[in-house]
Amino acid sequence: MPQALAQHKSYQADFERLERGLRFGDAPWLQALRRQAMDSFDQLGFPTALRGNEKWKYTRVAPIAEAAFEHPFDGQPDRVQASDIQGIAPWDKGWTNLVFVDGRYSAALSTPNGAGSSMQAISLAAALATEEALVQQHLARYADFKDDAFIALNTAFLEDGALVWVPPGETLPTPLHILFITTEHQKPVVTYPRVLLVAGSNSRLILIESYISLSSNGYFTNSVVEMLAEEGAQIEHYRFARESPRAYHVGMTRAYLAKDSVLKTTSLTVGCAILRNDLMVLLDAPGASTEVRGLHLTNGVDHVDNHIDIDHAKPYTKSNQYFKGVLDGKSRAVFSGRVLIRQNAVKAQAHQKDYNIILSEGAEIDTKPALEIYCDDVMATHGATAGHVAEELLFYMRSRGLDRELARALLVRGFASEIIDGVGVDSLRSYLDRQLSQALPTHQPERSL
Amino acid sequence: MQPTRVISRHTKDLDTEYKWGFTTEVEEEVAPKGIDEDVIRYIWAKKQEPEWMLEWRLRAYRYWASLKYEEPRWASVHFPPIDYQGIHYYAAPKSVTGASSLEEVDPEIRKAFDKLGIPLQEQSRLAGVAVDAVFDSVSVATTYQKTLEKLGIIFCPFSEAIQKHPELVRKYMGSVVPYSDNFFAALNSAVFSDGSFIYVPKGVRCPMELMTYFRINSPDTGQFERTLIVADEGAYVSYLEGCTAPIRKSNQLHAAVVELVALDNAEIKYSTLQNWYPGDKEGKGGIYNFVTKRGKALGRRSKISWTQVETGSAITWKYPSVILQGDGSVGEFYSVALVNNYQQADTGTKMTHIGKNTRSTVIAKGISAGHGNNTYRGLIKIMPAAHNAKNFTRCDSLLIGDRSGAHTTPYIEVRNPTARIEHEASTSKVSDDQLFYCQQRGISEEEAHFMIINGFCRDIFKELPFEFAVEARGNLAAGSVPPPDCFVGCRLLAMTIRKRISGTGY
């Protein structure tokens, strides 16, 4: 693939340029980290192989590997005004908001009030100056770049991002929102959003991570989120993505859960050209548990790939996955979940569900909910369905006077709402509800009810 | 209903590990070790096949050679590299001359089959079952051929079919599993020696179970048989295969190809009791069972049903599949796979829905004990034209022992909005509640385990052919003839549990 090779060279050139023009007098350890990550990316390359590539079996990475993306060296975070994102991004004045424009922190848009809390939510670039020890201790610890090209690439180009540190025992009074905006550019750009979250023991927080676009062009978002939940920490996490329909988005989330910690994560995805939501949770101590939920709505020629990997490394760990998808147009949705229960992880519980509705001819579902179990004293189940709206339900509604289209729309809406109803932040839920109305096929009742 | 006998009290039976591990002393004619075009020609000449078969074999061989000895490695099974030049690709008892009458069969071989509970006399115990007995690379006897002939049913060794019914063989051989399908199918197509051929003509319902019993005897040989079953319009046939091998320290390769073709309204029921030598407790020896089995439900409202009970083999790696091509066709897959000691299994099915209103059902039960690893891997594929296709899949795994592994990897690909796919799976151990319930009612722990496991597999056992099940019960009562493999598998498992419990001082 000479095209991909040429693009690989352009990443290398960009990397060298980045190394030369280091902005904030980086510490040697960080430079070494980037260098290692770049070497790792050079070695791995994009996972474009078709044979024996189980992790990317249903998603072709070639379009990303072959496309030319510019690195926005001269990013101007200030060119986005608050009015530009009104109504587009989920927003609440009461939240603690950190906003990034094309990967750079925008002080003008952000509201890092953190009132009444010793919590730290600052840009990673600033944190490197003030909290270097903390960053050095945790950065790139949970997201391993040795065997993943996308994490390697993100780490190599690590410049800015968000650092969130919640001190032990603290409960954040308001949700924390980290918003990544990609703006209009003449040529497709690539951005590398990065979040590092350290939740101290017995702390509680709500983290909202969202990705939106002010452009309808193609670009590439390559994000990495690292989370550490220390003993007894509780993290409620939402991941919302509504990228440009022509965008490529690869989002890697890596979570490390200590004893009795809880991670509840919900991803809400509106489809785009290629979107990969790649989550790996390591349940590394007894009592750690995670609940992973997701809803994806696809249309046109969207391609959405949810890849969930849960590692029950220790006894008494729990995981629960629940994904739903609604497919329209000629879109394609992939769910590949893997639950690994290691040999000593007795009394582990794991559940996995993936339900899909296909609305139109030409749409395709590929689902692969895998269980890999090496321990006998466990309880694990999984289920997957794919199909259309059940005829019996349609009949029931039509027999009560609803026309077919309306009945169908209501049923689809009800199907999708289940995930949204579980969102624990009111303003986010109502925002998502509006998104849902826009994304789902609209119904025009033949007569008013 | 007969009262259920408590089998586990016969602990003597349970102490025997693998009862079919004896060897038979017969003089055999073997091809030199290794594979090249000369060996292919040797086999072709030995079988006195027509010219077109040589072409077919060589084409397959050349394709296989182009793969450069690299087996696919995606399955979760682990084995050292196979030395393809260290295998005899053909081994036949000298006494066999394509025998048709029973008197011609070497008494030693007859004895071997008698020992296996597969008597070759037609008036014997397994009445109502016609048997084709395959010993290493050749078929030694086929019973009831005359009776079946009267109905127009062809049931004969594959090599005989090539001679007598070349038009059918040429039409269907490779039509379901082409030689280029996969590594082992290519190897099989190049060197296959025998197997069974069945043709059931239009509208005929085969009155008896047809059975092939495969026996590997000679050391360092591979068995490469090929089975082709064609059910013409409206025909029905139920087929059963069984297999065993002697205990040997080295691994032996068994790479078969099975093709089924069902035309309009035809039904094929294919049952397998696989009990190849599984290797010893340290995982030494045993058969590599790398088999390609596929059925094509070609006609409208045709039906293909696979039932398999997999208890043997060091490694089982196979996916009996159905291509649901005809409108309204039905595919079924029922499986119990049991692994113990160091056995590995990566098995499941592929259901490819092409026609309208096609239906498929998959019920798979995996039991892992000892250090065994059991993987269910299945693909449900709904093509864009398969309107109203339906699939239901249920796969459950039972884990016995903390060193065993059970894995479930279903692949579901849906490209039609009217399809309905449901997949369910669970993995757990024998529940403490159930055990407690049984013990509280005076059933010993071992018996309770046995009952629970038996119940776990019941959905599958009930799919086994009726005649055979009746026979099986009879055998159990008589106690002299070895019971069918599936039951013994269960009993061995109960034994394992008992040992484990006593070992841990439960």
Side-chain angles (χ1 to χ4, degrees), chain A residues 11 14 69-73 75 100-104 150 153-155 157-160 180-183 185 187-194 211-212 218-224 243 247-251:
Chain A
Y11 285 109
D14 284 347
F69 298 108
E70 281 201 341
H71 191 89
F73 282 106
F100 294 82
V101 176
D102 296 332
R104 297 251 155 65
F150 288 102
L153 193 61
N154 178 291
T155 311
F157 286 93
L158 196 141
E159 267 190 287
D160 207 346
F180 294 98
I181 305 168
T182 307
T183 60
H185 289 266
K187 286 185 180 162
V189 292
V190 51
T191 60
Y192 303 100
R194 181 106 185 182
Y211 298 86
I212 62 151
Y219 55 86
F220 174 30
T221 305
N222 176 16
S223 86
V224 172
E243 299 273 25
Y248 302 131
H249 176 118
V250 177

Side-chain angles (χ1 to χ4, degrees), chain A residues 51-52 54 57-58 343 347 358-392, chain B residues 72 74 373 377 379 384 387-388 395 399-429 432 500:
Chain A
R51 283 181 74 91
E54 278 292 301
K57 184 177 167 70
Y58 292 114
Q343 205 168 74
K347 304 283 178 200
I358 305 178
L359 296 175
S360 69
E361 303 232 346
E364 176 174 351
I365 273 283
D366 300 301
T367 173
K368 185 192 153 203
L371 296 172
E372 202 171 312
I373 295 167
Y374 295 95
C375 173
D376 65 340
D377 194 0
V378 300
M379 186 63 220
T381 63
H382 66 191
T385 63
H388 54 121
V389 176
E391 281 300 321
E392 310 87 82
Chain B
W74 43 261
N373 265 300
R377 190 184 300 276
L379 169 68
H387 294 291
N388 296 319
C395 35
L399 285 149
I400 297 161
D402 53 7
R403 300 281 134 181
S404 57
H407 320 301
T408 314
T409 311
Y411 299 76
I412 302 167
E413 303 176 9
V414 185
R415 294 167 69 185
N416 185 301
T418 58
R420 272 189 146 179
I421 311 302
E422 284 175 60
H423 172 96
E424 287 171 24
S426 75
T427 305
S428 62
K429 62 169 191 162
D432 292 338
R500 183 166 165 263

Side-chain angles (χ1 to χ4, degrees), chain B residues 423-444:
Chain B
H423 172 96
E424 287 171 24
S426 75
T427 305
S428 62
K429 62 169 191 162
V430 174
S431 108
D432 292 338
D433 298 353
Q434 288 173 3
L435 272 184
F436 175 74
Y437 182 87
C438 293
Q439 284 183 274
Q440 187 212 26
R441 274 149 185 79
I443 298 165
S444 79

